[in-house]
Amino acid sequence: MKLKQASRVIKSFVIFTFSLLMASGSAFASDASKSEEANVDQLIQQIMGLASESQQTISSVPFAVGDSLKKVEKSWGPADDLSTVAANYWSRHIRFLYDGSMGRKPITAIDDFDPKLQTIHLSDVKRLVGEPVSEVEQEGMYYVTYTDYENYKIVFNFESAWMNPDPILHMYTVEKINTKGKRK
C-alpha cells in the first residue's frame, strides 16, 4: 500500500514539475519574442533614420546617395561586379546604382540586401512607419514605398504577398529625390 502512495506522490510531483516547466517555458518564449520584436523595431527605425537623414542604408555607411562611386572604390576597393549602372559589393550586401555618364560616377540609389532584413515582415514596417504612399505587386515581388517628397524615397522589396499575406523583406532601395518628388 505504501508503495502505491509513494508512486502517486512521485507521479504528482512529476506532473507538477512538468507543468511549472511548461509555464515558465512559455514565459521565456514570450520574452524572446518581445526581444525579437524590439530588435526588428530598432532595425526599421535605423533604416528609416538613415534614409531620411543622410540617404544611406544600414550596410552602405559611410557612403550615401550623391557620393561618388570613386570614393567608394578608394575606400572599399573595386566592386565584386561592375556594370555601366551598378556596382555590387556582395560581401557587404550592397549595390550602388550610379550615373556612369558623369566622370565622378555619382551614386543615384543604393540597394541593401543584408540578411538580417529577413527578420522584418510587412506588418512590422506598416506598424512602425504607417501606411505607405504606394504598394505594388509586380514580377513576384511586393514593393512598398515611403517618401517625404523632399529628401528621400525608400522602396521595401518583400516576397510576394500572394503567397504570404505578411511577407518577409528581401531588400530595400534608398534614393534621393528633388523637391518635385522625382528621382535625382
Side-chain angles (χ1 to χ4, degrees), residues 24-148:
S24 66
S26 65
F28 289 134
S30 176
D31 288 347
S33 167
K34 287 178 186 176
S35 176
E36 286 174 19
E37 184 176 319
N39 290 341
V40 165
D41 290 359
Q42 188 176 36
L43 185 58
I44 294 169
Q45 290 167 350
Q46 183 182 13
I47 289 168
M48 295 306 294
L50 285 168
S52 65
E53 293 169 20
S54 57
Q55 292 78 50
Q56 294 176 313
T57 70
I58 56 174
S59 299
S60 74
V61 173
F63 306 108
V65 174
D67 284 345
S68 167
L69 181 62
K70 290 183 175 188
K71 181 179 173 184
V72 175
E73 292 171 333
K74 186 175 182 180
S75 179
W76 285 1
D80 299 323
D81 288 318
L82 186 67
S83 74
T84 57
V85 295
N88 294 302
Y89 287 85
W90 299 116
S91 63
R92 295 179 182 268
H93 313 292
I94 283 293
R95 175 181 304 114
F96 294 105
L97 303 174
Y98 66 94
D99 184 350
S101 69
M102 299 180 72
R104 69 180 207 93
K105 298 179 180 177
I107 297 169
T108 58
I110 303 171
D111 293 339
D112 193 314
F113 42 91
D114 192 298
K116 65 185 163 193
L117 298 175
Q118 294 183 13
T119 61
I120 299 173
H121 291 264
L122 176 60
S123 62
D124 299 322
V125 173
K126 286 184 171 182
R127 176 176 46 82
L128 278 174
V129 186
E131 285 301 312
V133 296
S134 75
E135 296 178 71
V136 178
E137 177 87 29
Q138 185 177 356
E139 299 175 5
M141 297 296 288
Y142 193 69
Y143 300 95
V144 178
T145 304
Y146 292 90
T147 183
D148 68 353

